[in-house]
Amino acid sequence: MLQKILIANRGEIAVRVIRAAREMGIATVAVYSELDRNALHVRLADEAYALGGQTAAESYLNTEAILDAIRESGADAVHPGYGFFSENADFARAITELGVAWIGPPPEAIDEMGDKVSSRLAAERGGAPIVPGTTEFAQGPDEIRDFGNSHGWPVCIKAAFGGGGRGMKVVNSADEVDDAMASAQREAKSFFGRDEVYVERYLTWPRHVEVQLVGDQHGNCVWVSTRDCSAQRRHQKLIEEAPAPGLPHGVEEAMGEAAVKAAKAVGYYNAGTVEFIYQDGEFFFLEMNTRLQVEHPVTEVITGIDLVEWQIRVAAGEALPMTQEQVRARQDGHAIEIRINAEDPAEGKFLPSPGPISKLVAPDGFGVRFDSGYESGDEISQYYDNLVGKLIVWGRDRDVAIRRTLRALEELVVEGVATTIPADIAILEHPDFVAVEHSTKWVEQTLDLTGVTATPAAPADDDAEPLVERSTTVEVNGKRFAVKMWVPETVGVAAAPAKAKKKRAASGAGGSAAGSGQVAVPMQGTIVKVLVEVGQEVTTGQGVVVLEAMKMENQINADKDGTIAEIKVSPGDTVGGGDVVVVIE
């Protein structure tokens, strides 16, 4: 069995792996950025190593820093979690070249299935039907326009090496292609480190149904459950449930068998998920996620199978402990997972809401589980994913699970940041959701969120002293050590100068009044593109800047007709919620 696992991730999934490893008697190693130096996963791990930097690129995507932590800690295995390097074959190879176990699939399977283009070819080999689309990377906008003109609009541009809606853009006409492709590539590069994209037909009213599977290194592979993830916004999931409800007889089994065949076609082992689009009795292979997914707990609670434990045992060379028949016999009841994101539903706009969590109280009771990477006093950073936690609820059937989830949501307390909880309640109570008549487009096209907003976040304590890095020396049992400490600015540990705070690019504290011409951003983030220039005439609703917050691009629009009098930001600038970025006269 493995002795020490380094978790190359942060937040909720790092906490999840640390807890599973501890239950197995395995030591854990955390890594952390400057912003995460006192995060929950760091506090829980047996050891922790600094990666430096703030952004993902500077820390959790810094290969050499992570490899140094592996060497220094003596870890004999690495769990990548989800996101970051979890589907990066080069990183997996770098781990195995150190003689360290990779708790994930073989790099060759990541290469083939992690690339959505080659994964479509693998799915075809395994006998799974695929959505019409390209089998090579798109070389430019003209190629996408040609595809749309041939197959009909809308089409979907997708990041070839990503998932979760990151780097995915729906294009309704030929004249939208250039901007959509550029935006998809920027998001893909930011989140996955690769900017290749491809294009496929966009189905008009599909459900998103996926299959959780696990394989071992002895040729065994089983599918554990289906999950429905159709309640989405911006192609990112809000609510997931298992098993997928309302499927015609035989479809679930057919999906499971197709998923296993696709996995075996690339020699897959460890945990993975095959995603399908389902519409009008037919299902099409969408992609394979070569990692553990965010929604894995709903599969766990209806089967009693700890998927992280299985991952660790498979990486250690053990065979799967159950056959397909035994796994299917374990399924019991229905489960629902709610992703609690730091976003204000804002009547359907879903605006990111980074900031400190002043209070977090998880619900409890029969059949209720809450997985989180945060506690009261922790902070949601604009540089990382905005997942506060996951509420997972089991019921003996779907109706009970829905009612119990609503009860748990009413008990859940999150203060200091806005969350998606009001929208989650609106979804669960809607007759369409109850009757399984929703689709991946339903939240944005049908669900009426008029008046649904989050309770305003408590204002940040402007008087709170920021922490700065100080260097000093200490003596322990007669031995001298040079150390670094993070302390309030006014605390003088040594003569070393404090690090300067990064200056915000724009000024202005409050949000712009409607029609004021003082265009303010609604959230903290980074300016990635300025769409106007001084002297340009604009109309109400016209885009003026593109803001990236929590790895998603948001277009900020003009609030009145007029002329651009001043532009206060440039690409790359960091802004805060309420900062004025453009002035219109």
Side-chain angles (χ1 to χ4, degrees), residues 75 267 376 403 552 579:
S376 298
R403 293 196 300 272
M552 295 295 289
D579 284 356

PDB file of all heavy atoms in Angstrom, residues 75 267 376 403 552 579:
ATOM      1  N   ALA A  75       7.067  11.930  -0.877  1.00  0.00           N
ATOM      2  CA  ALA A  75       5.788  11.301  -1.223  1.00  0.00           C
ATOM      3  C   ALA A  75       6.008  10.201  -2.241  1.00  0.00           C
ATOM      4  O   ALA A  75       6.819  10.332  -3.163  1.00  0.00           O
ATOM      5  CB  ALA A  75       4.822  12.352  -1.778  1.00  0.00           C
ATOM      6  N   GLY A 267      -7.228   1.434 -23.099  1.00  0.00           N
ATOM      7  CA  GLY A 267      -6.492   0.826 -21.995  1.00  0.00           C
ATOM      8  C   GLY A 267      -6.629   1.580 -20.693  1.00  0.00           C
ATOM      9  O   GLY A 267      -5.684   1.686 -19.905  1.00  0.00           O
ATOM     10  N   SER A 376     -15.477  29.063   8.218  1.00  0.00           N
ATOM     11  CA  SER A 376     -15.702  30.470   8.556  1.00  0.00           C
ATOM     12  C   SER A 376     -14.357  31.185   8.692  1.00  0.00           C
ATOM     13  O   SER A 376     -13.433  30.680   9.340  1.00  0.00           O
ATOM     14  CB  SER A 376     -16.475  30.594   9.866  1.00  0.00           C
ATOM     15  OG  SER A 376     -17.753  29.998   9.755  1.00  0.00           O
ATOM     16  N   ARG A 403     -36.987  16.788  -1.423  1.00  0.00           N
ATOM     17  CA  ARG A 403     -37.504  17.443  -0.211  1.00  0.00           C
ATOM     18  C   ARG A 403     -36.408  17.594   0.847  1.00  0.00           C
ATOM     19  O   ARG A 403     -36.302  18.626   1.513  1.00  0.00           O
ATOM     20  CB  ARG A 403     -38.687  16.664   0.355  1.00  0.00           C
ATOM     21  CG  ARG A 403     -39.925  16.664  -0.532  1.00  0.00           C
ATOM     22  CD  ARG A 403     -41.164  16.223   0.249  1.00  0.00           C
ATOM     23  NE  ARG A 403     -41.048  14.882   0.786  1.00  0.00           N
ATOM     24  CZ  ARG A 403     -41.390  13.775   0.134  1.00  0.00           C
ATOM     25  NH1 ARG A 403     -41.890  13.851  -1.097  1.00  0.00           N
ATOM     26  NH2 ARG A 403     -41.276  12.584   0.715  1.00  0.00           N
ATOM     27  N   MET A 552     -13.826  32.655 -15.646  1.00  0.00           N
ATOM     28  CA  MET A 552     -14.889  32.839 -16.629  1.00  0.00           C
ATOM     29  C   MET A 552     -14.844  34.265 -17.152  1.00  0.00           C
ATOM     30  O   MET A 552     -14.628  35.210 -16.395  1.00  0.00           O
ATOM     31  CB  MET A 552     -16.262  32.558 -16.005  1.00  0.00           C
ATOM     32  CG  MET A 552     -16.471  31.122 -15.582  1.00  0.00           C
ATOM     33  SD  MET A 552     -16.473  29.963 -16.968  1.00  0.00           S
ATOM     34  CE  MET A 552     -18.028  30.388 -17.746  1.00  0.00           C
ATOM     35  N   ASP A 579     -15.520  49.081  -9.145  1.00  0.00           N
ATOM     36  CA  ASP A 579     -14.560  49.979  -9.786  1.00  0.00           C
ATOM     37  C   ASP A 579     -15.091  50.448 -11.142  1.00  0.00           C
ATOM     38  O   ASP A 579     -15.590  49.644 -11.943  1.00  0.00           O
ATOM     39  CB  ASP A 579     -13.220  49.273  -9.992  1.00  0.00           C
ATOM     40  CG  ASP A 579     -12.421  49.149  -8.700  1.00  0.00           C
ATOM     41  OD1 ASP A 579     -12.880  49.679  -7.678  1.00  0.00           O
ATOM     42  OD2 ASP A 579     -11.345  48.527  -8.730  1.00  0.00           O
TER      43      ASP A 579
END
